[in-house]
Amino acid sequence: GEARGEDYVGKVAVAAVVLNRVKSPQFPNTIKEVIYQPKAFTCVEDGQINLKPNLEAYLAVADAILGNDPTKGCLFYMNPRTATSRWMRRRISAENATVIGNHVFSP
């Protein structure tokens, strides 16, 4: 749900952020706990997480699990056109940002 509308690399990047968070001591240590951490992902808040994923989404997650990380270790991302969180906008600054599709990623 969070990467719906992104190209394949964008989907892999979002999945990689989840896995990067699991590895980070700043976040919970399971995929489920990371995804369902309060206010962490808009798709959980708005229910899009319950939409049926397509084949490309499954393949992107598998690619991330196999170690493909186009974000190079990022822990945060946002879509600057739709993001409303002032905290996130401050967190992701131009000097440390990586743009992939419609999302901006940050360590």
Side-chain angles (χ1 to χ4, degrees):
E2 199 77 3
R4 214 174 83 200
E6 291 296 315
D7 65 8
Y8 184 75
V9 175
K11 287 177 174 69
V12 174
V14 169
V17 166
V18 172
L19 297 175
N20 293 340
R21 287 183 179 192
V22 170
K23 294 175 196 170
S24 170
Q26 299 174 55
F27 294 93
N29 26 354
T30 70
I31 292 170
K32 183 177 181 177
E33 289 174 319
V34 165
I35 290 172
Y36 286 98
Q37 189 173 22
K39 300 190 186 271
F41 295 100
T42 305
C43 70
V44 173
E45 300 281 318
D46 67 14
Q48 287 188 57
I49 193 162
N50 299 314
L51 298 173
K52 183 169 174 50
N54 62 18
L55 177 61
E56 186 173 70
Y58 282 109
L59 293 173
V61 169
D63 213 0
I65 288 170
L66 291 173
N68 186 357
D69 181 1
T71 76
K72 297 179 179 71
C74 287
L75 297 172
F76 301 95
Y77 68 92
M78 71 171 186
N79 181 330
R81 286 186 277 155
T82 60
T84 57
S85 168
R86 279 186 249 141
W87 180 87
M88 186 60 78
R89 288 188 175 278
R90 285 191 304 269
R91 175 81 180 97
I92 298 180
S93 59
E95 66 268 4
N96 67 4
T98 300
V99 177
I100 301 171
N102 295 310
H103 288 108
V104 180
F105 295 82
S106 176

